[in-house]
């Protein structure tokens, strides 16, 4: 079979690349011509409509406008096509397999790229989209037997050759060919590169376990537990890109919603899908979602404020309230109380209109008949039944004043229709009034927000987000069982939920994948255990702080992290400035200076902000990710990555509790290539072994 290889040598592959580039340039020129032609047609139609509108009847005007709309749509498609072709011109493909179908003799070379490229004049598919079924073999199989799911069914055969390329700016830097798994060779080179200000496409280096997640079509709820640096967010976004490609007839980007932890993270991931050829996906935060549900009528703390209070004050009573409201037992208690409300809080009495009684037993019967309707939504239905009952039994038609009286009487039969009062009463009912405490200005603590939403949902009902066809929930560990119970009701669609239990910024209210599966009983859990972000040395250092037995560090070696003792605060600032100077002279693009709390970050930023240009402070008010030197907190840095990270103030006083350990672990695992830890005083015991 070897003599039949298409482009047998690397030189042949380089020549073929030039051939493909010429084909792409012709296609781009044709698309440009098409765009210009369409623009001209639109302009001519608009001019015709303007010049002749006085003498045109309605039908003709509608026809011309429809023609303009159709041309505009054609033009938009042409512009989108040009964008895809231009991206391919820089990197036409990154992989190739030669596949021969079982029972056939034709050896089919399959080049795999970010988009497909078909020359319709020759009817040749030069490049296959990475999401196409046949391209899945590139990720899942080595040489030998292989198969893919075609529209007509499973297609089996054999992979006879497998190659991988790095092509940048239209130039082939190298080609690898092997009978073994060759992903890791290119992966090592890709991971050695510096970070950009956004996440990267990873389609060229997708591993088999990642591909299983991306191409999973069957799970209604897919829960991904991924260790720090496993690329879970990027994998989840590539999964969305795959689903949009696979089900393009029934789902589009406007049907997808991402629940993201903050605006900075949302901006950080915002260009991944457009880079993959999909439109930007809409996103929302849990707090914004809560405000929508409650019509902005309830003031509450943010999650950021909750974590800050724990870190800065460490109030044990505050922590106890959070811990209780983050348990499964809490949901059970809420449900028991709601049953108690239904059984005990409605006390029907006779209603008499002009000496015509409607008995209490009838009203109670109607209350129970509407058991599928939220309790506080039943009363209008009962009022209608009472009015109808009076008409049927007494042939009397009630007037407006009498109807209002009936409404008032029915409502008064329930102890209270005030949601806040009912929620507060719950804690009296469980004999723990101390577990409910309002912050200043009648502000709800964050731990009460979603339990209150749950009450609203069960007592008043909440309209679900039916237009969302797929929900992506990131940083799953930071949401509680009651939050997932609400999400389950709000979003009846398919879901991808991802995170890492080891990276909770608040371990008092964190969830594991097993916890979440208890809420979504029809879910499937998958794991990503390989850590790709950090060098082996940085990963091992982080493992000393917080051991994750499932984490497998990829052996990409680099500098050992430093833990530097300074004499005082001033000398620590001088050391940080020295490290910044080293960074600016290096090839690295991004430096994160990650503090435990916002006051620490604010103070440090004020002390060093004049030291270098391109220095930014990221906080809860930030709306975009900044490139260069960033001062921030662990909470804000969660999910981000930097070439170089400095973790200051690493003292035993600053990092001593369980939540502090989580914070320190997250901060250190943001580093890709270099990590420096500084302190003055006594070093935190969490890093002693790593010194």
């Amino acid at each position: 079979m070897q003599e039949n290889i298409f482009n047998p040598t690397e030189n042949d592959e380089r020549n073929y690349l030039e051939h493909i580039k010429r084909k792409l340039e012709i296609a781009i020129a044709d698309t440009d011509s098409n765009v210009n032609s369409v623009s001209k047609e639109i302009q001519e139609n608009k001019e015709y409509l303007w010049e002749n509108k006085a003498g045109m009847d309605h039908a003709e005007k509608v026809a011309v406008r429809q023609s303009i709309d159709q041309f505009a749509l054609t033009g938009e498609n042409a512009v989108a096509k040009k964008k895809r072709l231009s991206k391919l011109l820089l990197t036409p493909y990154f992989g190739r397999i030669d596949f021969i179908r079982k029972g056939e003799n034709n050896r089919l070379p399959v080049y795999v790229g970010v988009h497909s490229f078909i020359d319709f004049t020759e009817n040749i598919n030069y490049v296959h989209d990475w999401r196409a079924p046949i391209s899945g073999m590139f990720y899942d199989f080595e040489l030998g037997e292989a198969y893919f799911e075609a529209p007509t069914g499973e297609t089996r055969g054999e992979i006879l050759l497998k190659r991988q390329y790095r092509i940048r700016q239209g130039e082939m830097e190298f080609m690898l060919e092997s009978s073994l798994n060759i992903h890791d060779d290119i992966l090592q080179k890709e991971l050695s590169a510096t970070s950009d200000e956004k996440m990267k496409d990873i389609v060229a280096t997708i591993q088999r376990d990642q591909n299983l997640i991306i191409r999973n079509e069957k799970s209604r709820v897919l829960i991904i537990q991924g260790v720090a640096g496993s690329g879970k967010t990027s994998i989840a976004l590539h999964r969305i890109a795959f689903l949009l490609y696979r089900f393009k007839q029934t789902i589009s980007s406007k049907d997808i919603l991402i629940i993201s932890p903050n605006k900075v993270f949302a901006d950080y991931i915002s260009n991944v899908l457009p880079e993959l050829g999909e439109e930007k996906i809409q996103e929302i935060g849990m707090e914004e979602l809560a405000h929508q549900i409650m019509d902005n009528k309830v003031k509450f703390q943010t999650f950021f404020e909750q974590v800050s209070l724990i870190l800065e004050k460490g109030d044990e009573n505050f922590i106890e309230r959070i811990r209780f409201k983050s348990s499964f037992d809490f949901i059970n208690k809420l449900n028991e109380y709601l049953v108690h409300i239904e059984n005990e809080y409605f006390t029907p009495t006779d209603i008499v209109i002009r000496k015509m009684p409607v008995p209490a037993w009838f009203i109670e019967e109607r209350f129970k008949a509407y058991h599928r309707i939220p309790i506080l939504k039943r009363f209008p239905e009962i009022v209608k039944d009472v009015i109808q009952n009076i008409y049927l039994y007494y042939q009397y038609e009630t007037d407006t004043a009498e109807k209002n009286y009936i409404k008032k009487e029915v409502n008064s039969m329930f102890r209270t229709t005030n949601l806040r009062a009912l929620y507060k009463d719950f804690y009296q009912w469980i004999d723990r009034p101390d577990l409910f405490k309002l912050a200043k200005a009648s502000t709800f603590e964050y731990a009460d927000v979603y339990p209150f939403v749950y009450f609203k949902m069960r007592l008043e009902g909440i309209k679900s987000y039916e237009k969302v066809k797929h929900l992506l929930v990131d940083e799953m560990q930071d949401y509680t069982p009651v939050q997932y119970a609400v999400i389950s009701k709000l979003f009846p669609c398919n879901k991808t939920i991802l995170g890492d239990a080891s990276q909770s910024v608040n371990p008092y209210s964190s969830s594991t994948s097993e916890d979440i599966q208890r809420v979504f009983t029809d879910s499937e859990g998958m794991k990503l255990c390989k850590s790709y972000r950090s060098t082996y040395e940085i990963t091992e250092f982080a493992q000393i702080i917080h051991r994750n037995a499932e984490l497998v560090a990829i052996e990409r070696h680099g500098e050992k992290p430093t833990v530097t003792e300074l004499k005082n605060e001033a000398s620590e600032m001088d050391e940080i400035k020295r490290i910044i100077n080293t960074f600016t002279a290096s090839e690295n693009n991004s430096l994160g200076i990650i503090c435990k709390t916002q006051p620490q970050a604010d103070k440090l930023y004020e002390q060093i902000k004049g030291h270098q240009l391109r220095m930014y402070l990221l906080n809860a008010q930030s709306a975009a990710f900044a490139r260069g030197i960033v001062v921030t907190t662990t909470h804000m840095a969660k999910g981000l990555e930097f070439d170089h990270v400095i973790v200051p103030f690493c003292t035993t006083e600053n990092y001593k509790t369980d939540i502090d350990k989580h914070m320190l672990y997250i901060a250190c695992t943001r580093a890709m290539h270099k990590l420096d830890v500084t302190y003055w005083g006594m070093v935190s015991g969490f890093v002693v072994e790593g010194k």
Side-chain angles (χ1 to χ4, degrees), residues 535-574:
T535 61
Y536 185 83
E537 288 75 15
I538 292 171
T539 302
E540 285 299 295
F541 182 86
Q543 283 283 81
I544 290 166
I545 297 168
H546 184 78
R547 175 66 56 180
N548 184 342
E550 293 187 328
L551 187 148
V552 178
I554 192 164
E555 293 211 27
R556 176 175 65 85
H557 291 282
E559 293 181 45
K560 188 176 180 181
T562 66
V563 181
T564 305
E565 180 182 8
L566 288 311
K567 293 180 181 179
N568 51 41
E569 183 180 354
S571 60
E572 185 169 12
M573 289 305 106
D574 289 340

Side-chain angles (χ1 to χ4, degrees), residues 34 84 106 112 252 301 314 375 378 380 391 403 425 437 497 511 516 601 638 689:
N34 188 21
R84 290 195 300 271
N106 293 331
V112 181
S252 68
Q301 291 173 343
I375 291 173
R378 298 181 196 178
Y391 180 76
K403 287 174 182 175
D425 185 64
K437 184 178 180 181
I497 303 173
S511 295
I516 300 165
K638 188 176 56 168
E689 294 178 53

Side-chain angles (χ1 to χ4, degrees), residues 541 559-564 575 578-579 674-678:
F541 182 86
E559 293 181 45
K560 188 176 180 181
T562 66
V563 181
T564 305
E575 175 63 10
R578 185 197 67 76
I579 296 171
K674 188 167 171 54
L675 172 64
D676 291 302
V677 178
T678 64

